[in-house]
Structures are given as structure tokens and as C-alpha cells.
Amino acid sequence: MRVIIEPTYEKMSKWAADYVAKRIIESNPTPEKPFKLGCPTGSSPLGLYKELINKYKAGELSFQNVVTFNMDEYVNLPEDHPESYHSFMWTNFFFHIDIKKENVHILNGNAKDLKEECESYEAAIEAAGGIDLFMGGVGPDGHMAFNEPGSSLTSKTRVKTLTTDTIIANSRFFDNNLDLVPKQALTVGIGTVMAAKEVLLVCNGHHKARALQHIIDGEVSHKWTASMIQMHPHAIVVCDEAACDELTVGTYKYYLDKERYNLI
Ligand code: GLP
């Protein structure tokens, strides 16, 4: 695992965007062999999306041959609701780049048969040849997508019931009214993310420090589901200084040294 420690949220976002752009460009994607990108929502990746948009606008990067699969979506929230993950993705990313609408995949939380929706989503990922790079954020309780504490670490896309912690955390998007926060979501599983060729998580802020400590320094645990990335051969966590507040000094220094010496 690589852990990239950047001084600020802006620098963390820039590092992550540079890396994603590099991967897309290097893969030389075509309509026949597109680059498959896994996408998160949340406040953490906003800066990363902003930087990717800047690269597109500067003519450095095209999404013409990029196919995306989003991580999750609320159940029973209308697609055009301002807080749906459909709205989030189009508002904050897709409307500003040259991605083709048919290349965007987001789970339908209003599908009649949610189980069927999840199974066809997994099948679509497989049919596309798997995800090349899954980007992700982390919840304060260490969850990835909506894989709440206690989730199976080999899980695939399915319906999940949100924990009270997550409902409270996400109530900030719903007028701080817990009753308005959907109680269930469709989410890719930890196994779905683990099947990607690469995983890149962004994690910022002191409120994520405990989660980061468990993910990097703790044991692999279904209580902190993102800790499973320790088992991934190509996982990168990009974080800011504030998110490192709970790491041991040894761990913090090791990851800084590792990046420094790798450059020699
Ligand atoms: C939600 C999303 C996650 C996201 C998490 C953290 O639970 N389903 O994908 O990582 O929120 O969000 P934020 O980045 O806003 O802290």
C-alpha cells in the first residue's frame, strides 16, 4: 500500500487528480478498450473532481473513452433530488467533462427489483472487463461506499441499511433532519472494489483521523471496512495532514520516507 501525505486538502486533491489523469492517459483508451473508472460521491472527492475538470478544460485530458461506475446510490430518493448521487455526479463532474452519457453507470435506487438491479450492475462491471481504477472516499466510521461496519469483506453490490452514524453524518445534506435521510442504499461491495486493478482512496480532515488510523495502522476488520484495502496489491491512500492525527509517529514517518526514497 502507498500512503501519500499532503499538507492540505487542495494538495491532496491535486495529487489524486494527477495520478488518475496519468493512469487514463497512459492506458491510451479507445472506444473498443475504454478506461473503466470507479467513482465516489461525498465532500472528500470534490477537489479531485474539480482538478480533473480543470485538466479537461485545459485540453490535457479527455473522458471520451472513459466508462464510469459509481459506488452507490440511496434507495427511494428520486433521481432528480438535489442530494441523489445521480445529481451529485452530474452537477459536480459529468456535466463539466466530455464523458458520453451512455458510458456513465450509476445504480438505480428506485428500481422495482433492487436485487436484480444490483446483480445486473455487477454483471455490467464484469462485461466491461472490470474496473481499472476505483476511486473512493472514507466515512468517519471507516466505511467505503456504503459498506457499513459489519459488512462482509467479500461482498458484492447489494442493498445496505445505513447505520445511525452514517444517517447522522449525511443529515447535513438533508437540512440536518434525520427523518429526511434515506435509510437504505444500493452499494458496490468491498469485494467489488477489491476486484479493481487499482484502488485510490482520498481521506481528509481531523474527523477522519480515527478511520484512517484503523485503515492504515489497524487490523483488517469488518468493523472498519475500508481496512480491507490492506489486502489489495495496488492500493493508494491520499490524505492530508489533519487526517494523520491518530497515526503512530513511526507509521507517519515510514510512509513519508517511502515516497521520498522512491523518488531517488
Ligand atoms: C457516504 C458515501 C461514501 C463517502 C462517505 C464520506 O457515506 N456513501 O462513499 O465516502 O459518505 O463522505 P464525505 O467525503 O462527505 O466525508
Side-chain angles (χ1 to χ4, degrees), residues 3-137:
V3 178
I4 311 296
I5 302 166
E6 290 291 325
T8 61
Y9 173 76
E10 288 69 30
K11 291 205 162 127
M12 172 196 87
S13 305
K14 173 95 173 53
W15 194 100
D18 286 349
Y19 188 86
V20 173
K22 185 166 154 261
R23 277 287 182 261
I24 294 173
I25 293 164
E26 271 172 6
S27 80
N28 212 1
T30 61
E32 295 72 37
K33 199 182 77 53
F35 188 87
K36 285 97 57 189
L37 186 63
C39 295
T41 54
S43 42
S44 315
L46 279 174
L48 159 59
Y49 288 143
K50 210 174 106 215
E51 290 289 341
L52 289 174
I53 293 166
N54 289 343
K55 286 177 189 300
Y56 161 69
K57 289 196 169 148
E60 295 166 19
L61 181 63
S62 167
F63 293 86
Q64 282 278 338
N65 295 317
V66 173
V67 171
T68 61
F69 286 90
N70 256 82
M71 286 191 137
D72 43 15
E73 177 58 287
Y74 290 115
V75 166
N76 273 342
L77 192 67
E79 211 171 283
D80 59 1
H81 187 285
E83 295 305 333
S84 80
Y85 286 174
H86 278 78
S87 299
F88 177 98
M89 288 309 295
W90 284 97
T91 308
N92 294 302
F93 192 34
F94 298 146
F95 275 139
H96 311 282
I97 56 172
D98 61 345
I99 194 155
K100 295 179 185 141
K101 197 166 188 283
E102 62 270 26
N103 284 349
V104 169
H105 299 84
I106 307 179
L107 282 152
N108 176 8
N110 295 290
K112 272 210 180 80
D113 185 339
L114 294 176
K115 191 166 176 284
E116 211 276 314
E117 169 66 14
C118 294
E119 282 166 7
S120 22
Y121 202 69
E122 281 289 333
I125 294 175
E126 211 177 306
I131 309 256
D132 292 303
L133 173 57
F134 225 130
M135 307 184 289

Side-chain angles (χ1 to χ4, degrees), residues 41-45 71-72 85 137-139 143 145-146 166 170 172 208:
T41 54
S43 42
S44 315
M71 286 191 137
D72 43 15
Y85 286 174
V138 174
H143 74 237
F146 269 127
T166 298
N170 290 5
R172 68 191 196 277
K208 299 287 175 72

Side-chain angles (χ1 to χ4, degrees), residues 124-231:
I125 294 175
E126 211 177 306
I131 309 256
D132 292 303
L133 173 57
F134 225 130
M135 307 184 289
V138 174
D141 59 0
H143 74 237
M144 192 161 59
F146 269 127
N147 292 283
E148 298 287 38
S151 293
S152 154
L153 296 178
T154 56
S155 49
K156 294 289 182 178
T157 306
R158 68 218 184 288
V159 183
K160 271 311 272 191
T161 299
L162 308 189
T163 60
T164 304
D165 281 350
T166 298
I167 292 168
I168 292 171
N170 290 5
S171 65
R172 68 191 196 277
F173 302 116
F174 293 88
D175 299 332
N176 292 311
N177 182 344
L178 301 191
D179 294 336
L180 297 181
V181 186
K183 306 297 180 290
Q184 287 193 313
L186 303 187
T187 178
V188 296
I190 294 292
T192 318
V193 177
M194 289 295 288
K197 290 195 189 95
E198 277 191 279
V199 180
L200 181 144
L201 299 185
V202 283
C203 183
N204 63 284
H206 178 77
H207 63 303
K208 299 287 175 72
R210 230 156 74 81
L212 192 69
Q213 187 261 327
H214 280 275
I215 294 164
I216 293 175
D217 241 352
E219 287 106 40
V220 172
S221 162
H222 69 162
K223 287 295 183 194
W224 301 85
T225 55
S227 63
M228 188 61 178
I229 62 153
Q230 291 174 27
M231 307 289 282

